[in-house]
């Protein structure tokens, strides 16, 4: 058997979505029947039959026993909210074997292909010889697959770790995540330009090598059409044109893409996503609740993402509730501050002949202002300020 496994990853963007087409791997059950057209024949499941009786008849008639699990390669296409593909990578707390293994089963061999390192695809690009298989078989022995997968993960692990840090640095600078004053008033593209030309001697300039893996793929996407309609249904280009015009009138967002960005490595696709978002001024922020990257859905001023955080509530819901409670607490502390300030000021005004009252008042006010500055910088909390106010309020001097 000669089974060709190749890296295949297509990516396209719309205003709010990203479209992905790729190969992926999964495990299916087979029965071994030598001297057949395909020696390994897939086993049908009960879902393929109308009744359980038909299913059991199938099992009996085909003498199905000694079931063997094997890997198969298939293709799928799906849509995500814009940025999901990139952020699932950047927001990962740990890049380990399990993480890369999940990428392999979701995105195929592109997950193990490193464009700036050893070309693992040549190693995994099985011209796979299985003495039990016929030339028509397209499944892979479990042990063989897992041995190649383990070797591939080991070879590419460091590249994922290095790239994740590099892309985080690029985004943090280009979108001024750390709120550096000198970067205010600049676009992400302008900041990226500064970043590249200021740090060009560092190792992350290796990023540019990933661009050699980006190409266009001719991919006619008719997914916006009614699924029941195919191009072949139209007997003339005039009829087809009329249909598209009608669709455009009904749906202002109706569009046709004639190409998709093509990659043989997920590493290149991740870097390309960052460049695409920067170049197109697509906003990226870090959620004030969970700390992960996200693209605001409606308002650029959004500070919380819509991911589920806890108790089936999103960060936006949790963050808004926390902000409200914090505001109430802050208002309570501010009211206590104003009352204490007023009392101490009144005591000083009523006793102009005793300088000590004014001196104590000025010293207390200075310490209170320093406390507020420490809260703003994160050194102290509103709760600590409240405790200090309650303590110093007990004393008139």
């Amino acid at each position: 058997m000669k089974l060709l496994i190749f890296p295949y990853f297509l990516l396209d963007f719309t205003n709010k979505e990203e479209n992905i087409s790729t190969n992926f791997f999964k495990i299916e059950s087979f029965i071994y029947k030598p001297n057949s057209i395909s020696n390994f024949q897939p086993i049908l499941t009960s879902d393929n039959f109308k009744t359980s009786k038909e299913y059991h008849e199938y099992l009996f008639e085909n003498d199905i026993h000694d079931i063997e699990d094997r890997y198969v390669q298939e293709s799928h296409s799906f849509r995500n909210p814009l940025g999901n593909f990139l952020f699932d990578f950047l927001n990962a707390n740990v890049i380990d074997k399990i993480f890369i293994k999940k990428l392999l089963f979701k995105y195929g061999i592109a997950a193990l292909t490193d464009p700036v390192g050893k070309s693992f695809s040549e190693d995994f690009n099985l011209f796979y010889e299985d003495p039990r298989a016929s030339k028509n078989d397209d499944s892979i022995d479990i042990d063989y697959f897992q041995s190649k997968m383990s070797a591939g993960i080991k070879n590419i692990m460091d590249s994922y770790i290095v790239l994740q840090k590099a892309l985080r640095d690029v985004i943090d600078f280009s979108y001024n995540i750390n709120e550096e004053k000198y970067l205010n008033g600049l676009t992400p593209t302008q900041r990226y330009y500064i970043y590249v030309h200021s740090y060009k001697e560092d190792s992350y300039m290796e990023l540019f090598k990933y661009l050699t893996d980006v190409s266009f793929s001719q991919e006619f996407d008719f997914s916006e059409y009614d699924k029941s309609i195919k191009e072949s249904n139209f007997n003339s280009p005039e009829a087809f044109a009329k249909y598209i015009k009608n669709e455009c009138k009904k749906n202002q967002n109706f569009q046709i893409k004639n190409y998709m960005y093509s990659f043989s490595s997920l590493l290149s696709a991740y870097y390309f996503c960052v460049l695409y978002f920067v170049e197109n001024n697509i906003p990226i922020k870090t959620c004030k609740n969970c700390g992960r990257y996200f693209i605001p859905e409606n308002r650029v001023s959004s500070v919380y993402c819509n991911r589920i955080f806890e108790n089936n509530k999103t960060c936006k819901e949790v963050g808004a509730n926390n902000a409200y409670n914090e505001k109430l607490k802050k208002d309570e502390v501010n009211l206590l501050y104003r009352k204490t300030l007023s009392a101490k000021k009144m005591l000083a005004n009523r006793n102009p002949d005793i300088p000590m009252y004014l001196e104590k008042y000025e010293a207390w006010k200075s310490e209170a202002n320093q406390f507020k500055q420490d809260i703003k910088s994160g050194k102290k909390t509103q709760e600590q300020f409240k405790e200090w106010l309650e303590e110093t309020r007990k004393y008139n001097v």
Side-chain angles (χ1 to χ4, degrees):
M1 179 186 69
K2 292 186 176 181
L3 174 63
L4 178 63
I5 293 181
F6 58 93
Y8 162 77
F9 185 84
L10 301 180
L11 178 64
D12 182 31
F13 304 102
T14 63
N15 289 336
K16 293 186 177 181
E17 291 182 323
E18 56 192 23
N19 304 323
I20 293 174
S21 294
T22 183
N23 291 333
F24 72 103
F25 294 106
K26 66 178 184 178
I27 294 177
E28 287 189 353
S29 296
F30 290 81
I31 183 171
Y32 181 54
K33 288 191 172 183
N35 304 317
S36 302
I37 295 177
S38 295
N39 289 353
F40 288 97
Q41 298 181 4
I43 299 174
L44 300 179
T45 64
S46 58
D47 296 337
N48 298 103
F49 300 88
K50 294 181 179 180
T51 66
S52 59
K53 180 181 178 182
E54 290 179 354
Y55 177 56
H56 286 98
E57 287 177 352
Y58 158 75
L59 295 177
F60 178 77
E61 290 172 0
N62 289 275
D63 189 27
I64 293 179
H65 61 281
D66 295 334
I67 296 173
E68 178 178 337
D69 287 337
R70 294 170 69 85
Y71 282 101
V72 296
Q73 178 182 238
E74 292 188 4
S75 298
H76 60 172
S77 298
F78 51 92
R79 295 184 177 189
N80 294 324
L82 187 64
N84 268 29
F85 168 68
L86 174 64
F87 299 149
D88 283 348
F89 171 53
L90 295 184
N91 292 325
N93 292 325
V94 179
I95 302 294
D96 56 11
K97 294 179 180 178
I98 295 175
F99 178 82
I100 299 178
K101 185 177 180 180
K102 288 180 178 179
L103 293 181
L104 177 66
F105 285 107
K106 186 173 184 179
Y107 301 123
I109 200 63
L112 298 184
T113 304
D114 188 348
V116 298
K118 178 185 176 183
S119 178
F120 181 71
S121 60
E122 293 180 4
D123 193 18
F124 201 101
N125 225 343
L126 312 171
F127 284 100
Y128 162 58
E129 300 293 344
D130 185 342
R132 297 187 302 153
S134 73
K135 63 180 181 180
N136 295 310
D137 280 301
D138 57 2
S139 59
I140 311 169
D141 177 77
I142 288 278
D143 291 337
Y144 182 88
F145 182 96
Q146 291 182 342
S147 68
K148 291 295 183 182
M149 177 178 65
S150 297
I153 290 175
K154 182 178 180 181
N155 288 339
I156 205 168
M157 178 80 70
D158 288 344
S159 293
Y160 273 99
I161 294 172
V162 170
L163 182 68
Q164 186 195 52
K165 182 183 184 308
L167 293 185
R168 283 175 174 177
D169 290 344
V170 169
I171 288 179
D172 289 351
F173 192 94
S174 299
Y175 288 92
N176 198 17
I177 298 297
N178 297 321
E179 299 180 353
E180 299 286 354
K181 290 184 179 179
Y182 74 94
L183 292 175
N184 290 341
L186 297 172
T187 66
T189 305
Q190 290 168 336
R191 296 191 195 110
Y192 178 75
Y193 184 82
I194 294 170
Y195 179 86
V196 169
H197 287 274
S198 298
Y199 302 103
K200 60 184 178 181
E201 298 301 326
D202 288 304
S203 59
Y204 45 67
M205 287 304 293
E206 294 293 314
L207 283 171
F208 288 114
K209 295 181 180 179
Y210 289 104
L211 292 179
T212 59
D213 185 50
V214 182
S215 60
F216 289 114
S217 176
Q218 187 74 25
E219 183 75 8
F220 290 105
D221 180 11
F222 297 104
S223 57
E224 297 290 343
Y225 296 155
D226 183 337
K227 293 182 180 179
S228 64
I229 298 177
K230 305 293 183 182
E231 184 180 7
S232 58
N233 294 136
F234 300 97
N235 55 16
S236 70
E238 289 81 5
F240 204 6
K242 182 179 179 181
Y243 167 76
I244 292 177
K245 287 179 182 179
N246 289 334
E247 286 299 310
C248 290
K249 289 179 182 179
K250 290 189 296 184
N251 181 4
Q252 295 296 322
N253 295 321
F254 180 82
Q255 58 181 323
I256 302 172
K257 293 292 291 186
N258 291 331
Y259 66 87
M260 297 182 79
Y261 301 103
S262 177
F263 309 87
S264 62
S265 169
L266 293 190
L267 296 166
S268 294
Y270 287 133
Y271 179 43
F272 180 80
C273 284
V274 172
L275 295 183
Y276 183 90
F277 295 156
V278 167
E279 183 67 22
N280 290 277
N281 201 25
I282 296 171
I284 296 177
K285 293 191 172 185
T286 52
C287 177
K288 295 296 184 183
N289 186 59
C290 68
R292 293 182 289 178
Y293 295 106
F294 76 105
I295 293 175
E297 288 185 355
N298 298 315
R299 298 184 304 155
V300 176
S301 58
S302 298
V303 295
Y304 301 111
C305 70
N306 277 324
R307 299 182 181 94
I308 297 297
F309 183 70
E310 59 183 13
N311 300 325
N312 207 33
K313 290 186 177 181
T314 65
C315 283
K316 185 177 290 186
E317 293 170 325
V318 172
N321 186 56
N322 290 342
Y324 176 73
N325 292 334
E326 189 64 28
K327 183 177 184 301
L328 290 180
K329 186 186 296 184
K330 187 176 181 179
D331 289 345
E332 180 186 356
V333 173
N334 283 339
L335 179 60
L336 179 60
Y337 164 74
R338 288 195 298 271
K339 286 182 176 179
T340 307
L341 177 70
S342 178
K344 291 184 178 294
K345 184 177 182 180
M346 186 178 296
L347 183 64
N349 289 340
R350 286 179 177 178
N351 298 276
D353 55 330
I354 306 178
M356 180 183 64
Y357 286 115
L358 181 60
E359 292 171 2
K360 292 289 185 181
Y361 164 68
E362 293 294 344
W364 180 91
K365 186 169 68 170
S366 176
E367 190 172 352
N369 288 335
Q370 182 60 50
F371 223 118
K372 290 193 284 186
Q373 288 296 322
D374 289 344
I375 292 173
K376 194 172 183 180
S377 64
K379 295 178 181 179
K380 294 182 179 179
T381 65
Q382 290 284 346
E383 190 61 35
Q384 289 173 319
F385 190 31
K386 180 182 179 183
E387 292 174 0
W388 180 81
L389 289 171
E390 289 173 341
E391 182 67 25
T392 58
R393 192 182 184 194
K394 298 177 183 177
Y395 307 103
N396 290 330
V397 294

